[in-house]
Amino acid sequence: MSEFDLLKFEEEAHERWLHAFESNPGNLEKFYLNVAYPYPSGAMHVGHGRTYIVPDVIARFWRMRGRQVLYPMAFHVTGAPVIGISKRIARRDEKTIRLYRDLYKVPQDVLDGFVEPLTIVRHFASEYQRVMTACGLSIDWRRRFTTVDPTYSKFIEWQWKHLYEAGHVIKGVHPVRYCTVDDNPVGDHDLLEGDKAEVIKFTLVMFRFGDAFIPTATLRPETIHGVTNLWANPEVTYVKALVDGRPWIVSKEAAEKLALQDHTVEVQEEVPGRELVDKKVSHPLCGEISILPAGFVDPDMASGLVMSVPAHAPFDYIALRDLQQAGKYTEIRPIPLIRVEGYGEVPAQSAVEKAGIKNQMDSRMDALTQEIYSAEFSKGKLFDKYGGKPVRVARDEVADLMTAKYDSEVMYEFDVRPVVCRCGNKVKVKILHDQWFLRYSDPAWKQQVSDHLKDMTLVPPEVRLEFDRTVDWLKDWACTRRVGLGTRFPWDPAQLIEPLSDSTIYMAYYTIAHRIREIDSKLLTPEIFEYIFLGKENKELPERKKLEAMRKEFLYWYPYDFRFSAKDLISNHLTFQLFHHVTIFPKDKLPKGMVVFGMGLLNGAKMSSSKGNVFLLEDAVKEFGADTVRMFLMGSAEPWQDFDWRNELVLSTKKQIERFYNTVMDVKDAGGEPHDIDRWLISRLQSHVAKTTEALMNFQTRQALQEAYFGIETDLKWYRRRLPEGNDGSRELHTLCSAWVRLLAPFIPFTGEHLWKELAGEGLVSFAPWPVADEKLVNEKIELAEELLSRTVEDIESIQKLIQITPKSITIALAPEWKHEVFRTIAKASDRNTVIREIMKDEAMRKRGKDATDAAKQCTTLIHRLPPQVVGPLVREPISEQAVFESARTFLEQEFGVPVHVTEAESSGHVKALTALPFKPAIIIE
């Protein structure tokens, strides 16, 4: 017998797979799936492995189901990330050098060349392809491209021509995330930290301070009447600056931010924070108040000073309480102005005290603050003396009043911090003029997307709500950058199309990627793409035969069947691509489905390359084998659930594959005649085939693996246990092995190919026909008999462990027929809670009195515990329990080494025999 050697299996398969997965249009029904293409700026970790292996399992499944499958791959290099990396490497940034040299294991001579961004791209794109191939991904690599290829840029220009002509691209003024070092707007993919940060509009409330103003930023201008003080950090050095010609006192950081937001800022002098403490400020809507000290005030948040509303802001309430408990500022009292159901007169106080918050450092404070703010906004009303309006109405009205009459301004800030560019610089909010935007705010465009979403299959179904929410709140999107790699903006060549905006319909480009490179990019006019993708004829088109071949590819493959991507991309990429598709393509070419992934953890913590908390995919493959990595990632969680990589669990997966391999090699050549137990094994196989198939059709890779591996393995253990002594099994085992290897081939294809060859299977297992369940081979009675027997064996073993005696004999006492009648009546009843009353209407049952009532209750409990696949057949076609145990007597006596007796419970004479129920005989060990 050949030895279990995953490395050898991998080498064998790679030779045979060299061009096997190159897929062309044909007569078969197609299945086109794709996955978010990677940004090749670092090494792949096991989180990436799950992202690309899930669609590979699905691709292999449908290929074996007889579909023509396309699984393509490309590399997204648009934007500034690699530029930021190259800059950090050029300036010898120690953290970056350590990341690439030590974690990503880039050789020094290669690393030296990383001062050139495209060198980084080329290196890691090749590494990605090599590692993906090592993982057994069945990708058509002919279609590989990068988003800076000249032919791809022509495709992007054509896409944007459609968007522009549809009125979806506009120029305007907008606050954006901005890197002052790169002098460039930044998107999610450009960030090391804060990739989910949103730009929030704050109102600056202007407090008079001598000849100057102190601005404080708030999202709740309606609370101005409840301001009791300002907070300043005594450890911070503030500045006095002329802002648009008026003196303001703000933090140094705020002065820099204001200069980016359409203000002229001229810093005049520094102002120590401690000199502000206990000074007076005033505002017409709250009068004169004091500035109090607070170490929690962050100079990098908005203006660097904060107005305090202790009646409605838990942080303000606790900060004031802490000072007053030290005997300071005891004259200040919270001023309530909003009434909200469920909270006391002073909402912040009642919420803090109810939660038992002791100090500002309590981890629950953020959640408590959000709770109060949400409750007041959705249900709160101002007191009558402040206008009596709902908070949701008063908020905008007060903000407008402040801006019109009381010198207020608008300031933009992030909702989360820090926000850090990949170049290492802190990102700020800048108001850009002459900025290009995609008008995702357009209601008519939103409606088109919402209408199409109703026709799509979304996995898991609950993400539909997230898609709907994203479409609803999506605002205009800044779609150009000044710095980075990518396609020039057609109407403003000084700018580039930003990363997320050029990665929306590339799934269509995959269909022609391997052919379009045969045409000079200079010839690729918009008319060529109009013909390929929309069928618009033009007699002057060049390279007609090549274009016809591309048109054929597109028509065959599109629309794609399923796209796979991470759940955090619903808020941008996954929704953006729907907006772009509905603009450009006809309805019959719109996306059909999406599968959304969960996140990856490493030993319980979120994976992060920048923080070094990753396990490289290549290392995992080398240490455990590609099939082990694949099986662990597929078996640890369903694709949409988070998974946790733990090396000790991965090692146990390798042992499971070895066990599978050895089992197949042990039994594949058995040649005995079939017995009842063989018919049971083949009958059970049909269920595993059906359930594995259904699970994979629903993208439940974990459930499929449970059925295909553990379900069949468990059956085989019982089968071999039930074989008569000296019998190694029948020829039916070859049938089972053939099906078993094919069921597991999508998960562990390297081992699958080797075993398929050992089984004398024809061709590659990757293209072998998927097993199909045959109902004619299903034998419910045999399955019930073995289920009853195995459950009884388990019960006997449990009792033996409990009583700890050496038995002399075992008696199996069977339930009388009247209990079987009770069982069947309850099982068939639509309402099992009232059926007992119906049973007791029967004269014979009434005579049994309490015995019948007790039996009915016990049967009800048993029915709830038994799986439906047992209860249903028991009702339809009962089995003879007597016959089952009599035929298995020899087996039972061999198992337990003592005489086994089978008797009717009511004739047994043993008190325990009276507990016997249908499908659960009483066990008497003496």
Side-chain angles (χ1 to χ4, degrees):
M1 185 176 85
S2 65
E3 292 296 316
F4 175 72
D5 186 344
L6 284 178
L7 181 60
K8 177 187 171 187
F9 302 164
E10 289 168 19
E11 290 171 351
E12 289 174 353
H14 284 310
E15 288 179 16
R16 303 175 72 196
W17 288 348
L18 200 53
H19 298 287
F21 306 115
E22 295 172 358
S23 198
N24 299 306
N27 296 322
L28 298 175
E29 186 179 354
K30 63 90 180 178
F31 189 87
Y32 173 22
L33 77 171
N34 53 72
V35 62
Y37 50 19
Y39 193 102
S41 61
M44 295 180 77
H45 55 67
V46 290
H48 295 122
R50 207 262 288 256
T51 298
Y52 299 110
I53 291 169
V54 168
D56 184 66
V57 168
I58 302 302
R60 288 175 174 278
F61 165 69
W62 282 105
R63 202 175 280 120
M64 295 175 73
R65 292 259 292 173
R67 296 283 188 94
Q68 191 77 7
V69 174
L70 175 60
Y71 180 17
M73 189 59 60
F75 297 102
H76 190 210
V77 301
T78 305
V82 289
I83 292 177
I85 294 164
S86 66
K87 286 180 178 178
R88 295 200 301 276
I89 288 175
R91 66 171 183 258
R92 310 302 297 169
D93 177 76
E94 186 178 333
K95 184 178 179 182
T96 306
I97 296 289
R98 193 163 56 245
L99 177 68
Y100 280 81
R101 183 193 62 215
D102 300 342
L103 181 61
Y104 296 159
K105 300 172 186 172
V106 177
Q108 189 61 51
D109 60 327
V110 176
L111 188 59
D112 291 340
F114 277 14
V115 293
E116 166 56 45
L118 283 175
T119 302
I120 300 172
V121 167
R122 285 190 291 267
H123 173 78
F124 283 112
S126 295
E127 286 294 287
Y128 264 61
Q129 180 170 344
R130 184 177 61 79
V131 176
M132 286 177 170
T133 301
C135 288
L137 302 190
S138 55
I139 289 169
D140 183 349
W141 284 109
R142 298 174 304 161
R143 299 170 191 265
R144 167 182 162 167
F145 64 88
T146 70
T147 54
V148 293
D149 291 351
T151 51
Y152 183 78
S153 288
K154 291 291 185 180
F155 167 74
I156 294 300
E157 289 173 9
W158 168 76
Q159 174 196 176
W160 280 74
K161 177 177 180 289
H162 274 271
L163 295 170
Y164 187 80
E165 290 174 353
H168 297 320
V169 184
I170 58 170
K171 185 185 278 190
V173 178
H174 204 66
V176 299
R177 296 181 290 195
Y178 201 85
C179 175
T180 53
V181 169
D182 289 338
D183 194 23
N184 206 32
V186 289
D188 293 351
H189 290 196
D190 303 312
L191 298 173
L192 281 176
E193 295 184 65
D195 60 328
K196 295 302 169 193
E198 293 287 334
V199 175
I200 303 295
K201 180 181 176 182
F202 286 83
T203 297
L204 290 178
V205 182
M206 309 299 285
F207 291 89
R208 175 67 71 174
F209 180 68
D211 66 343
F213 285 104
I214 291 182
T216 64
T218 183
L219 295 171
R220 309 183 71 200
E222 77 283 359
T223 62
I224 180 64
H225 301 289
V227 174
T228 60
N229 61 277
L230 299 193
W231 299 113
N233 192 326
E235 304 303 318
V236 169
T237 299
Y238 294 88
V239 296
K240 187 174 186 180
L242 286 179
V243 179
D244 302 328
R246 297 188 302 170
W248 290 15
I249 293 175
V250 294
S251 66
K252 293 177 181 178
E253 293 86 346
E256 294 174 10
K257 294 174 185 178
L258 289 165
L260 295 172
Q261 297 185 22
D262 278 358
H263 296 285
T264 59
V265 179
E266 181 186 338
V267 175
Q268 294 184 312
E269 61 180 293
E270 293 186 344
V271 180
R274 60 181 174 275
E275 292 184 8
L276 295 175
V277 173
D278 293 334
K279 298 294 194 299
K280 299 290 185 181
V281 298
S282 65
H283 191 283
L285 297 180
C286 70
E288 188 176 76
I289 55 175
S290 297
I291 302 175
L292 274 55
F296 62 77
V297 175
D298 182 358
D300 196 28
M301 177 61 193
S303 67
L305 294 110
V306 181
M307 73 182 203
S308 172
V309 189
H312 300 281
F315 273 108
D316 293 338
Y317 173 77
I318 288 192
L320 182 61
R321 187 185 70 180
D322 289 350
L323 288 170
Q324 292 179 338
Q325 286 176 347
K328 301 176 182 178
Y329 309 108
T330 54
E331 73 284 1
I332 297 176
R333 290 287 179 269
I335 303 171
L337 68 147
I338 297 170
R339 184 174 293 105
V340 60
E341 184 182 342
Y343 297 88
E345 180 77 5
V346 181
Q349 179 182 3
S350 63
V352 165
E353 290 178 353
K354 183 179 178 181
I357 304 290
K358 301 299 183 187
N359 55 57
Q360 301 166 43
M361 305 310 293
D362 194 301
S363 61
R364 296 171 292 167
M365 280 296 291
D366 284 331
L368 192 68
T369 298
Q370 189 57 49
E371 174 196 317
I372 292 281
Y373 286 8
S374 297
E376 291 188 343
F377 181 73
S378 60
K379 300 183 293 184
K381 273 191 174 183
L382 294 180
F383 289 176
D384 289 343
K385 65 179 178 179
Y386 301 120
K389 292 187 177 181
V391 169
R392 63 170 64 245
V393 175
R395 180 162 298 174
D396 291 338
E397 289 185 356
V398 174
D400 292 342
L401 174 69
M402 286 181 165
T403 303
K405 293 187 62 176
Y406 301 117
D407 301 300
S408 281
E409 302 269 3
V410 167
M411 184 178 184
Y412 295 97
E413 185 58 280
F414 297 121
D415 60 342
V416 297
R417 290 171 300 116
V419 183
V420 181
C421 178
R422 285 183 182 268
C423 72
N425 180 52
K426 273 191 178 180
V427 173
K428 299 179 176 65
V429 179
K430 180 174 181 175
I431 294 177
L432 284 186
H433 295 259
D434 297 330
Q435 170 66 33
W436 292 93
F437 296 93
L438 282 161
R439 291 184 62 218
Y440 292 137
S441 63
D442 178 5
W445 203 10
K446 288 177 183 287
Q447 190 60 51
Q448 281 183 282
V449 176
S450 294
D451 290 345
H452 177 60
L453 268 167
K454 294 171 186 173
D455 297 331
M456 291 187 69
T457 301
L458 300 177
V459 181
E462 52 266 28
V463 300
R464 186 173 297 277
L465 189 63
E466 184 66 22
F467 274 99
D468 290 339
R469 188 161 48 233
T470 298
V471 172
D472 184 52
W473 64 250
L474 207 53
K475 306 177 185 70
D476 292 347
W477 180 264
C479 58
T480 57
R481 303 285 186 264
R482 290 185 175 84
V483 177
L485 304 175
T487 302
R488 291 285 165 189
F489 195 67
W491 303 276
D492 190 351
Q495 299 203 56
L496 295 147
I497 296 170
E498 66 89 31
L500 284 170
S501 302
D502 84 340
S503 61
T504 49
I505 63 165
Y506 68 90
M507 314 87 187
Y509 188 81
Y510 274 133
T511 65
I512 63 168
H514 59 311
R515 296 185 181 275
I516 198 168
R517 65 172 64 102
E518 297 173 5
I519 299 178
D520 187 336
S521 63
K522 294 174 184 174
L523 298 176
L524 295 176
T525 61
E527 288 74 22
I528 283 181
F529 294 107
E530 291 289 304
Y531 171 71
I532 294 171
F533 295 116
L534 301 177
K536 293 183 180 179
E537 289 288 351
N538 188 317
K539 293 179 181 178
E540 297 179 5
L541 293 177
E543 304 277 12
R544 187 74 191 196
K545 283 189 176 180
K546 292 179 181 178
L547 299 187
E548 287 174 356
M550 285 189 271
R551 174 79 179 145
K552 180 181 176 184
E553 289 263 4
F554 174 73
L555 289 175
Y556 180 76
W557 293 115
Y558 231 63
Y560 67 73
D561 293 274
F562 280 95
R563 175 155 185 80
F564 296 73
S565 202
K567 62 185 175 185
D568 60 334
L569 295 183
I570 294 175
S571 63
N572 44 61
H573 162 70
L574 286 177
T575 306
F576 289 2
Q577 56 126 350
L578 296 180
F579 275 87
H580 291 223
H581 269 87
V582 298
T583 297
I584 295 168
F585 296 106
K587 188 169 180 62
D588 67 339
K589 291 292 180 277
L590 297 183
K592 294 170 74 173
M594 287 195 244
V595 179
V596 177
F597 291 134
M599 308 303 289
L601 306 176
L602 178 63
N603 297 320
K606 184 179 177 181
M607 290 191 203
S608 169
S609 295
S610 61
K611 295 176 182 174
N613 187 49
V614 292
F615 187 51
L616 297 189
L617 185 56
E618 182 175 22
D619 290 346
V621 170
K622 285 180 177 177
E623 183 172 346
F624 301 108
D627 277 351
T628 308
V629 171
R630 292 174 64 103
M631 185 163 161
F632 176 81
L633 290 172
M634 296 306 95
S636 57
E638 297 296 5
W640 46 88
Q641 299 171 330
D642 296 347
F643 77 94
D644 190 2
W645 180 277
R646 295 180 183 269
N647 279 6
E648 63 274 18
L649 298 180
V650 181
L651 190 59
S652 68
T653 300
K654 184 175 184 179
K655 292 176 181 174
Q656 288 165 358
I657 298 173
E658 184 172 8
R659 202 164 62 233
F660 160 69
Y661 174 83
N662 289 333
T663 301
V664 171
M665 294 298 289
D666 281 346
V667 305
K668 67 182 179 67
D669 294 325
E673 289 298 314
H675 295 79
D676 279 351
I677 194 62
D678 292 282
R679 284 184 278 278
W680 169 83
L681 185 67
I682 297 303
S683 178
R684 289 279 296 165
L685 176 62
Q686 309 316 305
S687 172
H688 296 308
V689 167
K691 289 178 179 178
T692 303
T693 304
E694 182 183 14
L696 286 176
M697 289 182 73
N698 293 323
F699 306 95
Q700 296 170 291
T701 54
R702 184 179 187 276
Q703 180 61 35
L705 199 51
Q706 292 293 315
E707 285 292 335
Y709 180 87
F710 296 102
I712 293 176
E713 183 187 50
T714 300
D715 286 351
L716 264 175
K717 284 179 181 175
W718 178 251
Y719 169 84
R720 295 171 91 177
R721 191 173 173 182
R722 285 280 281 126
L723 285 173
E725 196 170 345
N727 189 325
D728 293 329
S730 81
R731 55 179 177 270
E732 295 285 13
L733 287 172
H734 189 277
T735 302
L736 178 129
C737 288
S738 173
W740 200 13
V741 168
R742 283 178 286 153
L743 288 175
L744 287 174
F747 300 95
I748 49 173
F750 296 105
T751 305
E753 292 290 5
H754 184 85
L755 284 173
W756 188 242
K757 195 164 58 174
E758 291 284 346
L759 291 170
E762 187 177 334
L764 292 167
V765 76
S766 300
F767 293 88
W770 183 257
V772 177
D774 185 346
E775 288 187 12
K776 294 193 290 292
L777 297 176
V778 175
N779 190 318
E780 284 187 346
K781 280 203 162 188
I782 288 181
E783 287 196 41
L784 280 177
E786 292 302 318
E787 181 76 15
L788 172 61
L789 187 60
S790 65
R791 284 173 174 270
T792 304
V793 167
E794 286 179 14
D795 286 346
I796 294 171
E797 290 172 338
S798 297
I799 294 169
Q800 283 184 323
K801 286 179 184 175
L802 194 64
I803 62 177
Q804 296 284 308
I805 64 168
T806 303
K808 293 180 181 177
S809 69
I810 297 172
T811 299
I812 298 173
L814 306 178
E817 178 55 31
W818 69 266
K819 285 190 179 181
H820 284 270
E821 289 178 21
V822 170
F823 182 96
R824 287 191 291 272
T825 302
I826 294 171
K828 286 190 283 189
S830 56
D831 185 352
R832 290 173 184 166
N833 295 318
T834 61
V835 71
I836 294 177
R837 287 199 298 271
E838 295 300 315
I839 290 171
M840 296 310 291
K841 289 178 182 178
D842 182 90
E843 181 65 27
M845 291 297 175
R846 276 206 308 274
K847 286 181 180 178
R848 296 186 183 279
K850 189 173 182 299
D851 287 346
T853 307
D854 289 346
K857 291 177 182 177
Q858 291 161 2
C859 283
T860 301
T861 301
L862 178 61
I863 289 167
H864 282 304
R865 288 178 179 171
L866 289 172
Q869 62 266 29
V870 169
V871 176
L874 272 178
V875 173
R876 285 194 299 271
E877 196 173 358
I879 58 172
S880 167
E881 294 188 5
Q882 180 83 30
V884 169
F885 289 112
E886 289 293 353
S887 66
R889 189 197 300 272
T890 302
F891 162 71
L892 291 169
E893 290 181 341
Q894 286 175 344
E895 282 287 303
F896 299 106
V898 295
V900 173
H901 308 291
V902 182
T903 184
E904 293 289 342
E906 290 184 336
S907 62
S908 162
H910 198 289
V911 66
K912 191 174 181 184
L914 299 177
T915 64
L917 294 171
F919 219 71
K920 191 170 180 59
I923 310 297
I924 303 160
I925 298 180
E926 296 176 315

mmCIF file of all heavy atoms in Angstrom, residues 372-386:
data_model
loop_
_atom_site.group_PDB
_atom_site.id
_atom_site.type_symbol
_atom_site.label_atom_id
_atom_site.label_comp_id
_atom_site.label_asym_id
_atom_site.label_seq_id
_atom_site.Cartn_x
_atom_site.Cartn_y
_atom_site.Cartn_z
ATOM 1 N N ILE A 372 -28.006 56.949 25.156
ATOM 2 C CA ILE A 372 -28.677 58.201 25.517
ATOM 3 C C ILE A 372 -28.921 59.054 24.275
ATOM 4 O O ILE A 372 -30.019 59.563 24.044
ATOM 5 C CB ILE A 372 -27.833 58.998 26.532
ATOM 6 C CG1 ILE A 372 -27.797 58.267 27.884
ATOM 7 C CG2 ILE A 372 -28.381 60.409 26.704
ATOM 8 C CD1 ILE A 372 -29.019 58.435 28.715
ATOM 9 N N TYR A 373 -27.871 59.216 23.459
ATOM 10 C CA TYR A 373 -27.992 60.060 22.268
ATOM 11 C C TYR A 373 -29.077 59.531 21.334
ATOM 12 O O TYR A 373 -29.882 60.294 20.798
ATOM 13 C CB TYR A 373 -26.657 60.135 21.526
ATOM 14 C CG TYR A 373 -25.601 60.995 22.206
ATOM 15 C CD1 TYR A 373 -25.809 61.501 23.483
ATOM 16 C CD2 TYR A 373 -24.398 61.288 21.568
ATOM 17 C CE1 TYR A 373 -24.847 62.275 24.116
ATOM 18 C CE2 TYR A 373 -23.428 62.074 22.191
ATOM 19 C CZ TYR A 373 -23.652 62.561 23.467
ATOM 20 O OH TYR A 373 -22.708 63.336 24.094
ATOM 21 N N SER A 374 -29.099 58.217 21.137
ATOM 22 C CA SER A 374 -30.087 57.619 20.230
ATOM 23 C C SER A 374 -31.500 57.780 20.775
ATOM 24 O O SER A 374 -32.434 58.115 20.032
ATOM 25 C CB SER A 374 -29.785 56.139 20.003
ATOM 26 O OG SER A 374 -28.550 55.972 19.371
ATOM 27 N N ALA A 375 -31.652 57.528 22.081
ATOM 28 C CA ALA A 375 -32.981 57.644 22.699
ATOM 29 C C ALA A 375 -33.492 59.074 22.615
ATOM 30 O O ALA A 375 -34.664 59.311 22.281
ATOM 31 C CB ALA A 375 -32.919 57.182 24.155
ATOM 32 N N GLU A 376 -32.629 60.043 22.895
ATOM 33 C CA GLU A 376 -33.068 61.438 22.862
ATOM 34 C C GLU A 376 -33.379 61.894 21.436
ATOM 35 O O GLU A 376 -34.314 62.668 21.216
ATOM 36 C CB GLU A 376 -32.006 62.332 23.505
ATOM 37 C CG GLU A 376 -31.888 62.110 25.006
ATOM 38 C CD GLU A 376 -30.988 63.100 25.719
ATOM 39 O OE1 GLU A 376 -30.183 63.789 25.048
ATOM 40 O OE2 GLU A 376 -31.079 63.185 26.962
ATOM 41 N N PHE A 377 -32.604 61.409 20.475
ATOM 42 C CA PHE A 377 -32.856 61.830 19.093
ATOM 43 C C PHE A 377 -34.160 61.225 18.567
ATOM 44 O O PHE A 377 -34.943 61.884 17.883
ATOM 45 C CB PHE A 377 -31.704 61.420 18.182
ATOM 46 C CG PHE A 377 -31.888 61.846 16.747
ATOM 47 C CD1 PHE A 377 -31.740 63.177 16.388
ATOM 48 C CD2 PHE A 377 -32.237 60.933 15.773
ATOM 49 C CE1 PHE A 377 -31.933 63.590 15.072
ATOM 50 C CE2 PHE A 377 -32.423 61.322 14.455
ATOM 51 C CZ PHE A 377 -32.273 62.659 14.106
ATOM 52 N N SER A 378 -34.394 59.956 18.875
ATOM 53 C CA SER A 378 -35.562 59.276 18.311
ATOM 54 C C SER A 378 -36.855 59.575 19.082
ATOM 55 O O SER A 378 -37.935 59.648 18.489
ATOM 56 C CB SER A 378 -35.328 57.764 18.278
ATOM 57 O OG SER A 378 -35.094 57.262 19.578
ATOM 58 N N LYS A 379 -36.758 59.782 20.431
ATOM 59 C CA LYS A 379 -37.976 59.935 21.230
ATOM 60 C C LYS A 379 -38.028 61.214 22.065
ATOM 61 O O LYS A 379 -39.056 61.514 22.668
ATOM 62 C CB LYS A 379 -38.111 58.728 22.174
ATOM 63 C CG LYS A 379 -38.206 57.377 21.473
ATOM 64 C CD LYS A 379 -38.409 56.240 22.460
ATOM 65 C CE LYS A 379 -37.187 56.035 23.338
ATOM 66 N NZ LYS A 379 -37.309 54.870 24.245
ATOM 67 N N GLY A 380 -36.914 61.961 22.120
ATOM 68 C CA GLY A 380 -36.839 63.104 23.021
ATOM 69 C C GLY A 380 -37.536 64.357 22.507
ATOM 70 O O GLY A 380 -37.632 64.582 21.308
ATOM 71 N N LYS A 381 -38.007 65.182 23.473
ATOM 72 C CA LYS A 381 -38.595 66.490 23.172
ATOM 73 C C LYS A 381 -37.978 67.532 24.083
ATOM 74 O O LYS A 381 -37.723 67.270 25.273
ATOM 75 C CB LYS A 381 -40.112 66.465 23.399
ATOM 76 C CG LYS A 381 -40.926 65.995 22.226
ATOM 77 C CD LYS A 381 -42.406 66.262 22.479
ATOM 78 C CE LYS A 381 -43.224 65.932 21.252
ATOM 79 N NZ LYS A 381 -44.659 66.252 21.468
ATOM 80 N N LEU A 382 -37.728 68.717 23.526
ATOM 81 C CA LEU A 382 -37.238 69.811 24.353
ATOM 82 C C LEU A 382 -38.337 70.262 25.307
ATOM 83 O O LEU A 382 -39.539 70.175 24.993
ATOM 84 C CB LEU A 382 -36.808 70.994 23.484
ATOM 85 C CG LEU A 382 -35.594 70.793 22.566
ATOM 86 C CD1 LEU A 382 -35.314 72.066 21.790
ATOM 87 C CD2 LEU A 382 -34.358 70.401 23.361
ATOM 88 N N PHE A 383 -37.920 70.759 26.488
ATOM 89 C CA PHE A 383 -38.889 71.326 27.414
ATOM 90 C C PHE A 383 -39.606 72.487 26.720
ATOM 91 O O PHE A 383 -39.058 73.133 25.815
ATOM 92 C CB PHE A 383 -38.193 71.845 28.675
ATOM 93 C CG PHE A 383 -37.658 70.751 29.577
ATOM 94 C CD1 PHE A 383 -36.933 71.071 30.713
ATOM 95 C CD2 PHE A 383 -37.877 69.406 29.307
ATOM 96 C CE1 PHE A 383 -36.434 70.094 31.550
ATOM 97 C CE2 PHE A 383 -37.380 68.418 30.135
ATOM 98 C CZ PHE A 383 -36.653 68.756 31.258
ATOM 99 N N ASP A 384 -40.814 72.773 27.179
ATOM 100 C CA ASP A 384 -41.618 73.835 26.547
ATOM 101 C C ASP A 384 -40.892 75.171 26.526
ATOM 102 O O ASP A 384 -40.976 75.917 25.536
ATOM 103 C CB ASP A 384 -42.950 73.982 27.282
ATOM 104 C CG ASP A 384 -43.875 72.796 27.033
ATOM 105 O OD1 ASP A 384 -43.613 72.049 26.058
ATOM 106 O OD2 ASP A 384 -44.831 72.608 27.794
ATOM 107 N N LYS A 385 -40.145 75.472 27.602
ATOM 108 C CA LYS A 385 -39.487 76.796 27.643
ATOM 109 C C LYS A 385 -38.352 76.909 26.627
ATOM 110 O O LYS A 385 -37.859 78.007 26.367
ATOM 111 C CB LYS A 385 -38.976 77.096 29.050
ATOM 112 C CG LYS A 385 -37.878 76.178 29.559
ATOM 113 C CD LYS A 385 -37.469 76.625 30.968
ATOM 114 C CE LYS A 385 -36.407 75.708 31.569
ATOM 115 N NZ LYS A 385 -36.006 76.164 32.921
ATOM 116 N N TYR A 386 -37.943 75.761 26.049
ATOM 117 C CA TYR A 386 -36.922 75.784 24.994
ATOM 118 C C TYR A 386 -37.526 75.501 23.615
ATOM 119 O O TYR A 386 -36.810 75.195 22.661
ATOM 120 C CB TYR A 386 -35.824 74.763 25.293
ATOM 121 C CG TYR A 386 -35.125 75.002 26.615
ATOM 122 C CD1 TYR A 386 -35.148 74.036 27.618
ATOM 123 C CD2 TYR A 386 -34.477 76.217 26.872
ATOM 124 C CE1 TYR A 386 -34.525 74.257 28.835
ATOM 125 C CE2 TYR A 386 -33.860 76.450 28.100
ATOM 126 C CZ TYR A 386 -33.894 75.466 29.067
ATOM 127 O OH TYR A 386 -33.278 75.703 30.278
#
